[in-house]
Amino acid sequence: MDIFDYQAQQFVRSSTPLADRMRPKKLMDIVGQSHIIGSHSLIQRVIQNNRLFSMILWGPPGCGKTTLARILIDETKSHGVEISAMMSGVKDIKRVVDEAMNHRRYYHQPTILFVDEIHRFNKAQQDAFLPHVENGLITLIGATTENPSFELISALLSRCRVIVLNPLTPKTIEEIIDRALADKESGLGLFDMGITEDAKKCLSEIADGDARRALNILEIVAYDMLDRKSPSTDEHAEKVITINDITPVLQKQGLRYDKSGENHYNMISAFHKSLRGSDPDAAVYWLGRMLCSGENPFYILRRMVRFASEDIGVADSYALHIALNAMESYRFLGSPEGECSIYQAAVYLATAPKSNRIYKTEKFVQQVIQQTGSLSVPVHICNAPTDLMKDMGYGKDYQYPHDHPDAIVYQDYLPDAIRGTSFYEPTDRGYEKIIKQRLDAWKIKKQEIKLRRGK
């Protein structure tokens, strides 16, 4: 490497990181997200029609959310403003709103506000730009690694379309690595550097779907190799990155080499299915895998709280308490002490009796409501706080259960149109077996009361 190459190396090193330099500038250059940017896709139509709408880009780190947002703004020739929720507050939002008002006044054009890490905005901060999204002054593009359903207020979420980006596959990461090594303007092509196939495969799997991580490691490895060569080094010396070059950097970075390559979504799915399948060993394994890979413990805990109702329900009502207590315990202790509570809850959920009847009840109720609409409350169970309402029959003939033996009465509580519908059908597992026996006994008693009343 001659002195000119060495100086060029120093120049590149002092500029922006490789991951930022290699960021695609056009939609066609984005890889790994064909399901949302392919031909005839919604994103393609947005660009062709030059009409952006408010959206939330949801996906894991390094999958291209920021890149896509910037390309959308650029290719629709919109007036864009970019802020990070990690470094901005209500004052910054007000400044953006004022700027948007001025821009619309002079150019009759809305402002596209891109908010990176939007899930870090609290409710008050999200409320601050909600009315301006609603009236069209601002078109919002938010990027988040967290589930928008949990992190964004419902009013804001209802005004945005959620676009889901997938983690990049190892094959896609390998393509990005090849681009970086070949690009002589923005990448490492200036140094004519290569990489062995096994090193590239290793690096693509270490990245775990994160292009930024792959390029950051690649840049560190490349510059470590160049540092070992002085300006007087033979210019024909081989510059090929091998596994041996990557290993020391991984140790410095504290990264793990995950040969199996399961991504964020596959592991949470494996964890959930292991709990449902009553396999505590598999459940704690996948839990450990997620915690060791840096998964947000609260994401796991939220899924466990949901699982306690969806897959266990009242077969073991204590399961919900266990999951909630684990969340509160982790909130109090943090890592690593609080992680033991997560393991405890996982074992309990895995070994608890299973029932999805609460989940099925929820779906059935929603289906009936959609089909029947706003049915009126039966008059006899309506509240009658005024004389007028009493005269109209509100509360008439209501039977107070505590005034009857065993607090059991024969009385209809559902609207006439769906009278007799059974939404909840307990199983014969866990505590639901007792509930089933109780409901069956009550049903017999109510029929006896009905017969005695001559109905």
Side-chain angles (χ1 to χ4, degrees):
M1 178 165 53
D2 60 28
I3 191 65
F4 175 80
D5 288 335
Y6 188 79
Q7 289 172 340
Q9 165 200 330
Q10 301 304 316
F11 171 77
V12 172
R13 186 186 308 221
S14 66
S15 62
T16 55
L18 176 64
D20 201 50
R21 300 200 306 271
M22 291 301 301
R23 193 184 295 276
K25 303 297 189 297
K26 296 183 178 299
L27 196 68
M28 66 179 67
D29 297 329
I30 295 179
V31 293
Q33 304 297 343
S34 58
H35 66 293
I36 60 170
I37 65 172
S39 58
H40 309 298
S41 66
L42 178 64
I43 297 299
Q44 285 281 6
R45 294 199 300 273
V46 165
I47 292 176
Q48 290 168 3
N49 299 329
N50 200 31
R51 290 185 63 86
L52 275 175
F53 52 83
S54 291
M55 66 182 76
I56 302 298
L57 304 177
W58 174 28
C63 67
K65 299 183 296 296
T66 299
T67 296
L68 178 57
R70 291 176 179 175
I71 288 175
L72 283 172
I73 293 172
D74 184 58
E75 295 205 2
T76 55
K77 296 179 173 55
S78 303
H79 173 241
V81 177
E82 180 177 340
I83 63 175
S84 170
M86 294 179 64
M87 305 173 63
S88 305
V90 174
K91 287 185 178 179
D92 299 285
I93 296 172
K94 289 180 178 178
R95 175 182 55 78
V96 170
V97 170
D98 291 340
E99 180 181 331
M101 287 180 175
N102 289 331
H103 186 82
R104 186 163 71 173
R105 183 181 300 118
Y106 291 108
Y107 299 99
H108 308 288
Q109 185 184 32
T111 291
I112 311 301
L113 172 61
F114 171 52
V115 182
D116 199 12
E117 304 288 345
I118 192 171
H119 60 273
R120 296 184 183 273
F121 270 155
N122 59 34
K123 183 179 183 299
Q125 291 168 318
Q126 292 181 43
D127 281 336
F129 55 72
L130 176 61
H132 308 293
V133 172
E134 191 171 23
N135 65 25
L137 176 66
I138 287 175
T139 298
L140 173 67
I141 301 180
T144 178
T145 56
E146 300 293 325
N147 190 325
S149 299
F150 296 124
E151 304 297 337
L152 300 184
I153 59 176
S154 57
L156 180 60
L157 193 58
S158 68
R159 289 162 176 78
C160 300
R161 179 153 184 168
V162 177
I163 306 293
V164 181
L165 284 78
N166 296 329
L168 302 180
T169 64
K171 184 177 180 180
T172 300
I173 297 290
E174 288 186 22
E175 182 179 343
I176 292 171
I177 292 170
D178 287 336
R179 286 186 182 186
L181 290 170
D183 193 319
K184 293 184 179 296
E185 294 183 4
S186 302
L188 299 171
L190 176 67
F191 308 120
D192 194 25
M193 186 171 287
I195 186 171
T196 63
E197 286 301 316
D198 58 343
K200 182 164 59 175
K201 184 175 185 297
C202 170
L203 184 52
S204 69
E205 291 177 340
I206 291 165
D208 196 24
D210 185 339
R212 187 184 302 107
R213 176 187 288 185
L215 292 175
N216 285 344
I217 297 172
L218 179 64
E219 185 173 34
I220 293 170
V221 170
Y223 287 147
D224 275 357
M225 289 182 64
L226 292 172
D227 279 339
R228 295 197 295 270
K229 301 178 183 293
S230 69
S232 60
T233 301
D234 181 4
E235 62 178 338
H236 299 294
E238 192 174 22
K239 293 174 286 187
V240 178
I241 298 172
T242 67
I243 287 281
N244 293 333
D245 297 310
I246 293 176
T247 302
V249 176
L250 297 184
Q251 292 173 346
K252 293 176 186 176
Q253 296 295 307
L255 297 173
R256 299 172 66 251
Y257 179 28
D258 183 358
K259 293 182 180 180
S260 55
E262 286 88 355
N263 58 40
H264 165 87
Y265 299 102
N266 282 343
M267 279 199 280
I268 194 64
S269 175
F271 177 59
H272 194 126
K273 289 179 173 64
S274 299
L275 293 176
R276 182 183 292 149
S278 301
D279 188 334
D281 297 313
V284 295
Y285 169 77
W286 292 115
L287 171 60
R289 280 284 302 278
M290 287 187 289
L291 291 174
C292 288
S293 66
E295 180 60 81
N296 183 350
F298 285 110
Y299 171 72
I300 302 172
L301 284 161
R302 284 193 294 266
R303 292 295 295 264
M304 293 170 71
V305 170
R306 169 66 181 184
F307 179 89
S309 293
E310 179 179 329
D311 286 280
I312 297 175
V314 292
D316 184 350
S317 295
Y318 197 59
L320 184 57
H321 293 278
I322 290 288
L324 288 169
N325 286 340
M327 179 175 285
E328 191 56 37
S329 176
Y330 182 80
R331 195 189 313 277
F332 178 68
L333 293 173
S335 290
E337 292 86 351
E339 292 175 6
C340 192
S341 299
I342 307 178
Y343 278 93
Q344 177 183 345
V347 170
Y348 190 96
L349 296 180
T351 55
K354 303 301 187 294
S355 170
N356 70 343
R357 296 304 171 88
I358 295 298
Y359 173 76
K360 294 179 74 173
T361 297
E362 176 193 18
K363 298 300 181 185
F364 188 22
V365 168
Q366 292 173 349
Q367 177 186 342
V368 170
I369 291 172
Q370 289 175 355
Q371 291 173 347
T372 59
S374 302
L375 298 176
S376 298
V377 177
V379 176
H380 65 279
I381 59 172
C382 284
N383 190 29
T386 68
D387 291 338
L388 174 62
M389 296 170 78
K390 290 177 182 177
D391 292 340
M392 294 173 64
Y394 281 34
K396 184 180 180 182
D397 297 328
Y398 169 66
Q399 300 179 63
Y400 186 56
H402 296 291
D403 290 340
H404 298 265
D406 299 321
I408 299 295
V409 297
Y410 178 78
Q411 186 167 238
D412 292 314
Y413 297 96
L414 286 172
D416 290 343
I418 57 173
R419 180 180 297 176
T421 303
S422 181
F423 290 105
Y424 172 60
E425 295 288 346
T427 67
D428 289 321
R429 296 187 292 276
Y431 186 68
E432 277 196 325
K433 183 176 182 178
I434 298 175
I435 294 175
K436 188 175 189 300
Q437 293 170 349
R438 185 180 297 162
L439 290 174
D440 288 343
W442 287 350
K443 190 177 296 183
I444 293 172
K445 283 188 177 183
K446 289 178 180 180
Q447 287 301 318
E448 291 174 350
I449 295 171
K450 178 184 178 181
L451 290 173
R452 286 198 302 268
R453 291 168 57 181
K455 293 185 178 180

